[in-house]
Amino acid sequence: MNISLRALRYVVATADFGNLTEAARHLNVSQPSISAAIAQFEAEYGVQVFVRHHAKGVTTTIAGTRIVNEARLLLNHARDFGQNARAMADEVRGEIAVGCFWTIATHFMPGLLSTFAGTHPGITVSLDEGDQQLILDAVISGRTEMALSYEFARPEEVMAEPLAELPPYAVLHPDHPLAQRERISLADLRDEPFILLDLPHSRDYFMGLFRSVGVEPQIAFRSRAYELTRGLVGHGRGYTIQNVLPRTQITHDGGRVASVPLTDTLPPVRLVSLRLRRQAPRPAVEVFARHLKAAFAPGGIFEPGTLSPRATVR
């Protein structure tokens, strides 16, 4: 039994759209063609891929989800094979999907994608942003082949390559008395209003910092938006804790903040690249992975220490 790449494309598109009609429109084929190909696939392999819901589209079965994930990997490899076969003597070419945690994307992805495009114009990168669970789900499902994120809640099937360790800093209004110190402790902030970045895993990390030194923070605001927490600090509404610091101390609405190192012995967050353990990376993905590692290595564009908490871009 030989399965065609066309049938795999039909299966993946149907899973993505959850609807035969939409999948057919996307692939520019007839709906009966897709329906017949899926029925033949299920009959030949003796597995039900989709559950049909009358007038409500389809959903994948447990086995179907695994089949769709494997089909994505095969289609990616087939696409690269075709592109590289047409340009044997040329540089590596291809198209890769990369995931990135929301707050990390803002700081690092513009520079990473810009320098990568300059050195590898034959590789196209599509970016998928989200919170940690969305990033991990995308890697496991094969929607993205690698991701730049933290090591929070990483399952065994996803492997991580360390890139950098980012210590926590206190971020305060520049006129706050504590902002004038070289270093402060979390105990110094005990009675100050705290602005919490309230994202899954992020909130657990920040609250864990306080627990580790026996301090109960006075939470005044919670926000899922990184820049909103900085904006509130810039208006004197409290302080926040951040590990990824911009090159500027100016907020989106023109306010100013100051970042101060902490004296406490606190765990940093580990910035890592993520990929599926059982998936051998394609050549284009390997090239991007090397670019990513070089960017955070000594001499790279994001070398540790180059994002000084005292630096200000005017």
Side-chain angles (χ1 to χ4, degrees):
M1 291 183 292
N2 295 315
I3 187 67
S4 70
L5 293 178
R6 179 188 301 171
L8 292 181
R9 291 190 188 97
Y10 290 177
V11 168
V12 170
T14 301
D16 286 343
F17 287 96
N19 183 287
L20 290 169
T21 303
E22 291 301 318
R25 184 179 294 115
H26 174 73
L27 294 172
N28 197 28
V29 298
S30 69
Q31 179 179 329
S33 295
I34 292 185
S35 182
I38 292 174
Q40 183 181 359
F41 181 98
E42 292 179 325
E44 285 189 3
Y45 289 91
V47 61
Q48 183 178 359
V49 180
F50 297 105
V51 176
R52 281 75 170 172
H53 305 284
H54 180 65
K56 293 184 179 180
V58 300
T59 56
T60 55
T61 62
I62 294 175
T65 298
R66 295 181 62 183
I67 288 171
V68 170
N69 293 347
E70 294 294 335
R72 289 187 206 277
L73 302 182
L74 285 172
L75 290 172
N76 285 336
H77 281 281
R79 183 181 60 211
D80 269 11
F81 175 82
Q83 290 173 333
N84 289 330
R86 285 191 295 269
M88 275 298 201
D90 216 346
E91 64 174 325
V92 174
R93 295 179 178 274
E95 184 178 322
I96 61 175
V98 176
C100 193
F101 192 85
W102 278 325
T103 57
I104 295 174
T106 302
H107 297 287
F108 299 125
M109 273 302 171
L112 283 168
L113 296 179
S114 178
T115 54
F116 187 73
T119 54
H120 298 90
I123 301 176
T124 302
V125 181
S126 64
L127 185 63
D128 188 11
E129 305 160 69
D131 62 23
Q132 187 72 354
Q133 193 57 54
L134 288 173
I135 294 300
L136 291 171
D137 287 346
V139 171
I140 293 170
S141 69
R143 293 196 307 274
T144 60
E145 295 171 89
M146 68 174 305
L148 177 61
S149 191
Y150 302 119
E151 205 174 4
F152 299 144
R154 178 176 61 87
E156 180 60 28
E157 61 191 309
V158 175
M159 64 182 297
E161 172 117 19
L163 296 172
E165 290 192 344
L166 306 173
Y169 288 85
V171 181
L172 306 100
H173 190 278
D175 293 337
H176 194 290
L178 293 175
Q180 312 311 313
R181 298 190 190 178
E182 286 299 315
R183 292 178 176 273
I184 59 176
S185 69
L186 290 181
D188 295 327
L189 298 164
R190 186 189 306 271
D191 298 323
E192 303 289 334
F194 177 52
I195 301 168
L196 174 65
L197 180 62
D198 197 10
L199 291 172
H201 307 300
S202 295
R203 78 171 74 91
D204 297 332
Y205 168 75
F206 292 125
M207 297 306 292
L209 297 180
F210 290 100
R211 285 195 298 271
S212 71
V213 295
V215 172
E216 182 70 28
Q218 305 301 311
I219 300 176
F221 296 93
R222 296 172 180 264
S223 174
R224 295 173 60 86
Y226 169 89
E227 190 55 38
L228 177 55
T229 64
R230 289 173 58 83
L232 289 168
V233 171
H235 281 271
R237 305 307 300 168
Y239 75 97
T240 191
I241 304 291
Q242 293 178 343
N243 300 77
V244 181
L245 300 174
R247 283 190 165 95
T248 177
Q249 304 285 41
I250 303 173
T251 64
H252 279 184
D253 66 347
R256 288 181 176 272
V257 298
S259 303
V260 184
L262 293 163
T263 59
D264 308 282
T265 302
L266 300 170
V269 293
R270 296 183 70 200
L271 188 65
V272 297
S273 63
L274 302 170
R275 68 176 180 85
L276 203 57
R277 191 178 297 278
R278 61 184 170 82
Q279 176 186 352
R282 298 181 294 125
V285 178
E286 286 186 324
V287 170
F288 189 80
R290 290 196 296 270
H291 177 76
L292 199 60
K293 195 166 184 178
F296 290 93
I301 58 174
F302 300 121
E303 179 180 357
T306 58
L307 300 185
S308 167
R310 299 294 186 182
T312 300
V313 177
R314 298 182 184 278

